[in-house]
């Protein structure tokens, strides 16, 4: 592939925080970015060179995007696959529709994980009422019902403990296709973020250990506190997935490690990932710069870790929402000389909404975690 050089124009489907951080990285390398996003005040749209305010499948906007760009990528995994296909008729699009599509439906995704010779969480799929009983035979309670499509940050999920609760959850989800997943007794969670180019070369970032609260990522600790062989197995599994998808761009794979030390694959994200935000301050190259490099055919840059780091998410919950103008304990975060704050310029702070994150660097990941927790506690005490 010939290189798409700086001064060229990149199209970004989606205007969220992942898009915003991509736009910054692309600007640093001298690219222009056109964002397609229906929300007129989106984090990425606000800083893009051009913002097409239209639905992702708006035909006129798609034509305009394809005509104005040298290459197009995505930050949002639910871009309709047919849109990626349409765009690819007249412009380079990475990742391609067939790769993104696999991660858009949990039933398809889990079958794909198996086809790679890897282990998903034990599950049964439910697409009709009559599939409830066979699905239950495949798992042990407690379990989690998840809608097959459009879940994020733990939404579209509910814990179930009996046949009756599965039936109720299926009704509550209005009989959408679902997976019934066994609840895993987790030792910990890790993720691998990697970049792959058209030549099939890939390049990993260090494995992150992820701490969730209420199904939402709270912190990523790097280096992950897991054995090297587990970390390596996860990287090999992620590469196998990327190769099998013939993936171009940045991809993340989320893993569960069971109490017995077994490595299971939770899910695949065909985009940059929240657990890769630590790379912005703790690696020479961020996941967003590597996304630019992967889709433009530039050589990959170094991904090694410069310092132990903890990334902490700031949800709307950190703001004092009782006032008309929500307030944050700014001194807690701005006073930490070893932390870098990244806010996404979202106007409304809401419970559970990702507003920003901070990366805390220290000599060890233990010290980074202590400092990050100290700041986080202070923010929430305000
Ligand atoms: P996101 O896209 O933001 O990662 P999501 O809505 O796709 O989230 P999942 O990754 O499926 O959600 O689940 C979110 C978190 O909930 C997991 O990282 C894990 O902490 C917990 N969880 C989900 N499924 C299971 C399970 N089967 N067993 C144990 N914990 C689980
Ligand atoms: Mg997840």
């Amino acid at each position: 592939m010939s290189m798409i050089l700086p001064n060229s124009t990149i199209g970004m489907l989606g205007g969220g925080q992942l898009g915003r951080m991509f736009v910054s990285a692309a600007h640093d390398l001298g690219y222009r970015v056109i964002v397609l996003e229906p929300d007129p005040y989106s984090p990425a749209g606000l800083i893009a060179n051009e913002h097409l305010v239209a639905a992702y499948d708006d035909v006129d906007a798609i034509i305009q995007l394809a005509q104005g760009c040298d290459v197009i990528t995505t930050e949002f995994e639910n871009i309709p696959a047919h849109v990626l296909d349409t765009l690819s008729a007249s412009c380079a699009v990475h990742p391609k529709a067939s790769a993104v599509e696999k991660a858009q439906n949990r039933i398809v995704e889990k079958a794909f994980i198996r086809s790679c010779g890897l282990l998903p969480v034990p599950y049964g799929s439910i697409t009709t009422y009559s599939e409830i009983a066979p699905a239950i035979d495949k798992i042990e309670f407690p379990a989690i019902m998840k809608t097959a499509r459009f879940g994020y940050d733990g939404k579209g999920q509910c814990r179930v403990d009996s046949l009756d609760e599965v039936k109720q959850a299926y009704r509550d989800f209005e009989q959408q296709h679902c997976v019934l997943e066994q609840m895993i007794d987790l030792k910990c969670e890790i993720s691998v973020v990697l970049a792959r180019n058209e030549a099939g070369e890939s390049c990993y970032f260090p494995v992150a250990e992820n701490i969730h609260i209420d199904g939402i990522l709270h912190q990523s600790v790097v280096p992950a506190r897991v054995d090297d062989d587990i970390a390596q197995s996860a990287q090999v599994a992620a590469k196998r997935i990327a190769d099998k998808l013939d993936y171009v761009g940045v991809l993340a794979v989320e893993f569960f490690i069971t109490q017995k030390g077994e490595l299971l694959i939770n899910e695949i994200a065909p985009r940059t990932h929240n657990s890769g935000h630590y790379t912005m301050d703790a690696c020479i190259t961020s996941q967003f710069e590597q996304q630019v490099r992967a889709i433009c055919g530039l050589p990959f840059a170094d991904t090694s870790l410069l310092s132990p780091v903890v990334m902490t998410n700031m949800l709307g919950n950190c703001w004092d929402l009782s006032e008309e103008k929500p307030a944050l304990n700014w001194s807690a975060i701005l006073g930490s000389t070893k932390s870098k704050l990244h806010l996404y310029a979202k106007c409304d702070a809401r419970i559970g909404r990702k507003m920003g994150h901070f990366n805390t660097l220290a000599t060890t990941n233990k010290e980074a975690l202590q400092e990050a927790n100290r700041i986080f506690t202070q923010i929430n005490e305000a």
Side-chain angles (χ1 to χ4, degrees):
M1 149 186 195
S2 57
M3 285 196 263
I4 296 169
L5 291 169
N7 268 328
S8 305
T9 303
I10 304 175
M12 170 54 79
L13 294 160
Q17 63 265 22
L18 301 176
R20 180 183 177 88
M21 292 181 272
F22 174 89
V23 172
S24 285
H27 282 170
D28 284 347
L29 290 177
Y31 291 86
R32 296 181 75 249
V33 184
I34 304 177
V35 164
L36 173 62
E37 158 66 46
D39 178 355
Y41 299 104
S42 70
L46 287 172
I47 63 165
N49 298 79
E50 208 176 316
H51 178 188
L52 302 175
V53 183
Y56 303 124
D57 56 358
D58 181 295
V59 176
D60 292 338
I62 289 174
I63 293 170
Q64 212 182 324
L65 189 68
Q67 283 175 347
C69 295
D70 298 288
V71 59
I72 295 171
T73 189
T74 161
E75 60 106 44
F76 174 55
E77 68 201 50
N78 288 318
I79 300 291
H82 69 86
V83 170
L84 298 175
D85 257 342
T86 308
L87 284 166
S88 67
S90 49
C91 187
V93 177
H94 303 301
K96 60 186 169 189
S98 61
V100 173
E101 214 167 28
K102 298 262 188 329
Q104 289 181 334
N105 180 314
R106 292 185 194 276
I107 298 175
V108 176
E109 181 179 46
K110 287 177 192 298
F112 170 72
I113 290 165
R114 277 201 177 137
S115 76
C116 295
L118 300 167
L119 286 178
V121 174
Y123 76 102
S125 44
I126 301 176
T127 63
T128 62
Y129 203 78
S130 63
E131 283 179 347
I132 291 180
I136 284 177
D137 288 342
K138 294 191 178 127
I139 57 107
E140 283 169 23
F141 286 114
I144 308 184
M145 268 291 259
K146 299 183 181 179
T147 56
R149 299 180 68 92
F150 302 120
Y152 72 99
D153 288 348
K155 294 186 174 61
Q157 303 194 5
C158 104
R159 186 191 155 124
V160 283
D161 286 300
S162 65
L163 170 63
D164 281 348
E165 286 184 13
V166 175
K167 286 181 180 167
Q168 185 59 47
Y170 189 51
R171 282 194 292 272
D172 290 346
F173 289 140
E174 294 171 335
Q175 304 183 14
Q176 292 175 68
H177 293 185
C178 288
V179 291
L180 180 65
E181 267 184 27
Q182 184 154 330
M183 176 90 87
I184 304 299
D185 187 9
L186 295 171
K187 190 163 168 195
C188 73
E189 296 186 54
I190 58 173
S191 57
V192 175
V193 175
L194 69 73
R196 188 174 180 279
N197 63 19
E198 261 191 311
E201 296 156 349
S202 49
C203 165
Y204 318 108
F205 286 95
V207 172
E209 174 189 345
N210 300 320
I211 301 167
H212 288 78
I213 297 179
D214 296 334
I216 304 180
L217 183 65
H218 170 52
Q219 285 176 319
S220 295
V221 180
V222 188
R225 294 164 296 179
V226 296
D227 293 343
D228 286 349
D229 56 340
I230 287 258
Q232 264 173 26
S233 304
Q235 287 178 323
V236 169
K239 180 175 183 320
R240 196 185 298 175
I241 287 171
D243 286 342
K244 190 107 189 266
L245 291 171
D246 192 22
Y247 195 89
V248 177
V250 169
L251 170 112
V253 182
E254 299 176 10
F255 296 85
F256 290 155
I257 301 177
T258 67
Q259 291 293 348
K260 288 185 191 146
E262 200 179 15
L263 192 63
L264 303 176
I265 295 183
N266 174 25
E267 60 176 353
I268 303 166
R271 50 170 171 76
T272 50
H273 196 259
N274 195 169
S275 70
H277 290 358
Y278 77 86
T279 61
M280 295 172 82
D281 301 306
C283 295
I284 293 177
T285 316
S286 75
Q287 61 170 343
F288 303 102
E289 176 175 338
Q290 207 75 314
Q291 185 179 13
V292 175
R293 287 171 174 269
I295 62 168
C296 292
L298 310 185
F300 285 133
D302 193 303
T303 53
S304 43
L305 194 68
L306 301 173
S307 162
V309 58
V310 170
M311 186 287 311
T312 305
N313 268 337
M314 295 168 72
L315 303 182
N317 317 33
C318 299
W319 272 253
D320 176 359
L321 302 173
S322 60
E323 305 292 322
E324 199 178 317
K325 265 199 153 187
L328 184 82
N329 181 355
W330 293 108
S331 59
I333 175 62
L334 296 174
S336 167
T337 56
K338 294 268 174 78
S339 295
K340 285 277 282 187
L341 175 65
H342 301 269
L343 291 178
Y344 310 146
K346 294 184 182 175
C347 316
D348 303 325
R350 288 197 299 268
I351 296 291
R353 188 174 201 207
K354 287 176 180 166
M355 303 297 291
H357 67 271
F358 58 92
N359 288 327
T360 306
L361 278 64
T363 317
T364 63
N365 56 8
K366 190 174 169 198
E367 282 171 38
L369 195 55
Q370 277 169 353
E371 173 68 352
N373 287 341
R374 184 189 68 75
I375 298 164
F376 190 73
T377 307
Q378 276 193 13
I379 288 175
N380 285 284
E381 272 170 358

